[in-house]
Amino acid sequence: MASVSELARGEGLGRIQTILGEESSLLTHQSRTIPRDSLHLPGPDFVDRILIPSDRPPRVLGGLQRLFDTGRLARTGYVSILPVDQGIEHSAGASFAPNSENIVKLAIEGGCNAVASTLGVLGSVARRYAHRIPFIVKLNHNEFISYPNAFDQIRFASVKQAWDMGAAGVGATIYFGSEESKRQIQEVTAMFQQAHELGLFTVLWCYLRNAAFKTKDADYHLAADLSGQANHLGVTIEADIIKQKLPETNGGYTALNFGKTHKAVYSQLTTDNPIDLTRYQLASCYMGRAPLINSGGASSGEADLKEAVRTAVINKRAGGTGLISGRKAFQRPMKEGVGLLNAIQDVYLTKEITVA
């Protein structure tokens, strides 16, 4: 298995094929579900082509254009974002003991389009870095110091605080399907409205959270149909960018026997291929009018490089706009973290890798 230190070997598509190994068939899969021509796909003109007709204020469009014009992926229509808010959700020790270097510096050195983190982290370095790379301030978090642990996204920051520090955008999480989700939807809707009024773009972590979604047969938190519906709700409250976990299964509605869906979702609009499942997530984002970025997932050690490149290939070939990958890169020495971020970006820079 290729390691981060082996990134310098090989060029372009050949290197990516080597990293993928037995899963290199992902590079040749042809989707026959939702036609690519029916999607609003990424491109250097995405803001002009897709977002200009919307009700977004000019300053929001300007912030999104700055996002697309930053880093190694500048003017490609794709994004690579470094998020680190695990100091709240995983404890500071669990997050920063492996590497306590400046995460904003890693995002800049790694050629990212933006860095996303907490009010405290970004506020502590705002005067040094806010003009150099777009800041995305995460407004709510799931804190784990209360005992016993509860699972709820609560406000930690205000939109005004993000605006004051010079942030370009704000982010938030909704645990769709949870007991607290109705309150979270209302809170985030209000925060996103205020963000747009102040000229900040919005990123929504559209995660599912309900114990009933995980059965002995599958974890339907990662089902394409349920996560796609979460995406649809996120775009409905005018999230400018949707962040979602990569789907690993499907059929959540039918297996859990709730809600309403249509049999064509399973017979025509999806297959078991991860590219087709991710395309359904994208179609749920108003056919791509809101860009879909997938999360890089937790760090698992030596397999991180392959997992990150695999996720990027799936996202790009499905029609997605990029990755938001943090722990895999951050919990490494700076050089290795930069190498992993660059490997993700190389997928989007490789012209031979096209939308399926």
Side-chain angles (χ1 to χ4, degrees):
M1 181 178 296
S3 68
V4 175
S5 62
E6 295 175 308
L7 283 172
R9 302 179 187 177
E11 293 292 336
L13 184 61
R15 182 178 61 186
I16 293 168
Q17 288 174 323
T18 299
I19 293 171
L20 288 176
E22 61 187 20
E23 290 194 275
S24 60
S25 60
L26 291 169
L27 296 168
T28 57
H29 172 74
Q30 292 301 309
S31 181
R32 307 195 185 281
T33 55
I34 301 167
R36 56 167 287 164
D37 292 343
S38 66
L39 300 170
H40 301 284
L41 296 173
D45 62 343
F46 188 83
V47 172
D48 289 335
R49 175 167 45 93
I50 305 301
L51 300 180
I52 287 293
S54 73
D55 62 353
R56 289 168 176 82
R59 286 189 180 87
V60 174
L61 298 176
L64 286 165
Q65 191 64 60
R66 182 189 171 204
L67 173 75
F68 284 119
D69 288 349
T70 300
R72 290 183 76 227
L73 298 181
R75 293 171 291 282
T76 65
Y78 293 106
V79 299
S80 165
I81 299 174
L82 178 71
V84 182
D85 63 353
Q86 279 72 33
I88 294 174
E89 303 194 0
H90 295 274
S91 92
S95 299
F96 301 111
N99 186 349
S100 59
E101 289 198 63
N102 188 333
I103 66 163
V104 183
K105 183 179 179 183
L106 173 60
I108 294 172
E109 294 293 325
C112 292
N113 299 70
V115 59
S117 193
T118 66
L119 173 70
V121 167
L122 295 179
S124 68
V125 294
R127 293 185 183 275
R128 177 173 295 177
Y129 289 116
H131 63 291
R132 296 184 58 189
I133 186 171
F135 279 13
I136 301 171
V137 178
K138 189 76 168 16
L139 299 176
N140 64 3
H141 303 280
N142 180 24
E143 60 84 17
F144 269 1
I145 199 169
S146 298
Y147 188 84
N149 291 157
F151 296 91
D152 189 10
Q153 291 286 332
I154 59 175
R155 289 186 59 168
F156 270 69
S158 72
V159 176
K160 181 63 163 48
Q161 287 172 303
W163 184 81
D164 284 340
M165 78 163 67
V170 296
T173 299
I174 294 177
Y175 283 155
F176 290 102
S178 71
E179 189 175 338
E180 300 82 10
S181 63
K182 292 181 175 61
R183 189 205 79 245
Q184 293 169 12
I185 290 170
Q186 294 176 71
E187 287 179 352
V188 173
T189 297
M191 290 190 292
F192 280 10
Q193 179 186 0
Q194 185 184 11
H196 280 168
E197 289 171 351
L198 290 175
L200 306 178
F201 64 80
T202 58
V203 183
L204 187 62
W205 280 242
C206 290
Y207 288 170
L208 299 172
R209 183 59 62 87
N210 191 308
F213 290 174
K214 189 171 184 178
T215 72
K216 60 182 177 62
D217 299 314
D219 184 355
Y220 292 106
H221 291 95
L222 303 176
D225 55 351
L226 296 184
S227 59
Q229 178 62 15
N231 292 355
H232 183 81
L233 295 177
V235 184
T236 299
I237 64 173
E238 294 201 334
D240 297 315
I241 297 173
I242 297 295
K243 179 196 175 188
Q244 184 56 266
K245 296 180 180 179
L246 203 68
E248 295 181 5
T249 188
N250 204 5
Y253 275 115
T254 54
L256 301 173
N257 193 29
F258 85 109
K260 294 182 179 180
T261 186
H262 194 285
K263 60 184 180 182
V265 171
Y266 314 105
S267 63
Q268 300 175 33
L269 303 181
T270 60
T271 71
D272 291 336
N273 189 283
I275 294 171
D276 294 338
L277 294 177
T278 306
R279 175 158 295 183
Y280 186 78
Q281 287 185 338
L282 175 66
S284 300
C285 297
Y286 289 19
M287 300 302 280
R289 285 183 176 88
L292 171 67
I293 57 177
N294 288 115
S295 55
S299 178
S300 56
E302 298 228 349
D304 281 354
L305 175 62
K306 180 177 180 179
E307 290 173 1
V309 169
R310 175 184 183 274
T311 303
V313 167
I314 292 169
N315 173 269
K316 183 179 182 182
R317 302 216 66 224
T321 295
L323 254 59
I324 182 164
S325 183
R327 276 172 284 172
K328 281 178 165 49
F330 178 64
Q331 294 188 337
R332 295 177 179 277
M334 179 69 74
K335 184 177 179 180
E336 287 194 17
V338 168
L340 196 143
L341 291 170
N342 288 170
I344 291 169
Q345 295 152 9
D346 286 346
V347 171
Y348 296 96
L349 291 171
T350 301
K351 291 186 173 18
E352 295 91 341
I353 301 176
T354 59
V355 178

